[in-house]
């Protein structure tokens, strides 16, 4: 049984790469889960800005089906040859991100996430041209416009992620594949070592690296290990000057590495009026918690994954 997750904010900071929390699971431990779209900001983890956004499969954000004119092939892009038919992408169109655009987009295009209202939230999809010399998954990439324009230099089946709004550079991250139910068996939609993160009614689907919160073993030094959906994934640490134990938080990744954004009522020194409060993970085999809290199992002992049997969270005694 998964630990009970408390509702926190329903927005993700675009430039802050923030992950909004939502309710999910059941049990006794207070923690946070992720949901929603992303919103623009000029801040970032540490002192630099970046784009990043996530959400859980329970998000209620709807995907737009009437997006402004695409940056793809427009009305005519490719002659299909023997049939004499012409491939065209309507100016108001949302493509199937799960299929990477294979069934919806013209040859030389891909399906990508974007903000159909011109804002900072990925809320729809559209066909965009694939760069003639595309960047591969894991390589640096660039975007045209801003981080939610949908036009980037990444290969088909990936998008430019964690984009710095000043330099317009990020990293190509693989899209999930299959269908919206694949998250329950991540091997069906992401490579081994990655889990599918779904946001905005599948307007954002990303394979993000799995991690262990007690080890904080994310490869990128800008990332920390946070609870996302029913797993733990690497996401940019956007805590800035805050994020220490007891600091208020509104985003799941607005706490320092080793902390999670939990229920303020969990600890007497948290601000009771705050959306969330940064509290530490703990090791059940060597529990060390802040005053007034104790180390409680994150998972039901019968259901804990082998690598997380000792994972706990500091919470007030029942």
């Amino acid at each position: 049984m998964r630990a009970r997750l408390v509702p926190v904010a329903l927005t993700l900071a675009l430039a802050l790469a923030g992950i909004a929390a939502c309710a999910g699971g059941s049990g006794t431990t207070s923690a946070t889960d992720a949901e929603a779209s992303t919103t623009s900001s000029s801040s970032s983890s540490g002192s630099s800005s970046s784009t990043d956004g996530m959400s859980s499969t329970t998000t209620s954000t709807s995907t737009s089906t009437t997006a402004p004119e695409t940056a793809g092939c427009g009305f005519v892009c490719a002659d299909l040859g023997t049939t004499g038919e012409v491939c065209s992408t309507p100016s108001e169109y949302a493509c199937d991100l799960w299929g990477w655009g294979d069934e919806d987009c013209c040859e030389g295009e891909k399906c990508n996430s974007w903000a159909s209202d011109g804002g900072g939230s990925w809320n729809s999809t559209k066909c965009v041209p694939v760069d003639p010399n595309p960047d591969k998954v894991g390589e640096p990439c660039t975007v045209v416009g801003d981080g939610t324009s949908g036009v980037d230099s990444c290969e088909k089946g990936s998008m430019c992620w964690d984009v710095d709004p000043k330099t317009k550079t990020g990293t190509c991250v693989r899209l999930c594949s299959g269908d919206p139910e694949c998250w329950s068996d991540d091997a069906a939609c992401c490579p081994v070592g990655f889990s599918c993160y779904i946001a905005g009614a599948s307007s954002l689907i990303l394979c993000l690296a799995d991690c262990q919160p007690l080890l904080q073993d994310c490869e990128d030094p800008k990332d920390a290990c946070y609870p996302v959906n029913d797993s733990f994934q690497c996401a940019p640490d956007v805590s800035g000057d805050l994020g220490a134990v007891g600091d208020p938080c509104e985003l799941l990744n607005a706490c320092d590495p080793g902390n999670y954004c939990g229920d303020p009522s969990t600890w007497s020194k948290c601000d009771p009026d705050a959306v969330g409060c940064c509290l530490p993970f703990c090791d059940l085999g060597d529990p060390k918690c802040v005053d007034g809290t104790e180390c409680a199992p994150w998972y039901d002992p019968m259901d804990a994954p082998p690598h997380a049997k000792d994972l706990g969270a500091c919470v007030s005694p029942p």
Side-chain angles (χ1 to χ4, degrees):
M1 182 179 293
R2 181 65 164 81
R4 177 65 181 173
L5 307 179
V6 298
V8 185
L10 294 181
T11 57
L12 307 179
L14 170 66
L16 289 181
I19 306 174
C22 71
S26 59
T28 57
T29 304
S30 294
T32 54
D33 198 2
E35 176 183 11
S37 61
T38 57
T39 56
S40 294
S41 171
S42 59
S43 313
S44 70
S45 58
S47 59
S48 64
S49 295
S50 60
T51 53
D52 196 342
M54 309 177 183
S55 154
S56 74
T57 56
T58 57
T59 125
S60 59
T61 307
S62 59
T63 301
S64 169
T65 57
T66 56
E69 184 172 351
T70 77
C73 63
F75 292 100
V76 178
C77 65
D79 190 336
L80 298 185
T82 55
T83 64
E85 296 178 0
V86 173
C87 174
S88 62
T89 300
S91 60
E92 296 183 352
Y93 190 71
C95 50
D96 178 18
L97 201 60
W98 290 100
W100 296 356
D102 284 347
E103 300 297 325
D104 306 310
C105 301
C106 298
E107 183 177 352
E109 292 184 332
K110 65 174 182 175
C111 188
N112 233 21
S113 306
W114 77 306
S116 63
D117 57 2
S121 296
W122 284 296
N123 63 354
S124 189
T125 61
K126 68 175 179 179
C127 297
V128 298
V130 178
D131 192 284
N133 297 296
D135 298 312
K136 307 298 183 183
V137 171
E139 295 181 345
C141 54
T142 57
V143 297
V144 176
D146 56 35
T148 56
S149 70
V151 184
D152 61 37
S153 62
C154 294
E155 64 183 338
K156 188 172 185 176
S158 66
M159 68 173 285
C160 200
W161 177 248
D162 193 13
V163 175
D164 185 321
K166 293 181 180 178
T167 64
K168 301 185 185 300
T169 58
T171 303
C172 292
V173 172
R174 186 186 186 276
L175 301 182
C176 308
S177 58
D179 61 63
E181 298 301 318
C182 77
W183 65 270
S184 61
D185 177 15
D186 282 310
C189 57
C190 289
V192 175
F194 293 80
S195 297
C196 185
Y197 179 80
I198 307 174
S202 292
S203 63
L204 186 70
I205 54 172
L206 298 172
C207 290
L208 300 179
D210 297 325
C211 57
Q212 297 186 45
L214 293 181
L215 298 179
Q216 290 297 314
D217 53 351
C218 295
E219 238 179 75
D220 192 327
K222 297 181 300 181
D223 289 355
C225 188
Y226 297 105
V228 179
N229 297 337
D230 279 335
S231 62
F232 289 87
Q233 294 174 306
C234 294
D237 169 16
V238 301
S239 57
D241 294 334
L242 297 175
V245 173
D247 284 347
C249 54
E250 294 186 7
L251 303 166
L252 184 142
N253 55 337
C255 294
D256 291 340
N259 296 337
Y260 67 95
C261 188
D263 186 347
S265 66
T266 296
W267 190 34
S268 60
K269 294 186 180 180
C270 291
D271 180 355
D273 296 323
V275 174
C277 182
C278 292
L279 294 165
F281 296 108
C282 55
D283 187 335
L284 295 172
D286 184 22
K288 296 176 183 177
C289 282
V290 294
D291 294 342
T293 65
E294 62 181 27
C295 191
W298 186 273
Y299 293 99
D300 183 294
M302 299 298 293
D303 297 326
H307 64 273
K309 290 185 179 296
D310 291 328
L311 177 61
C314 292
V315 297
S316 296

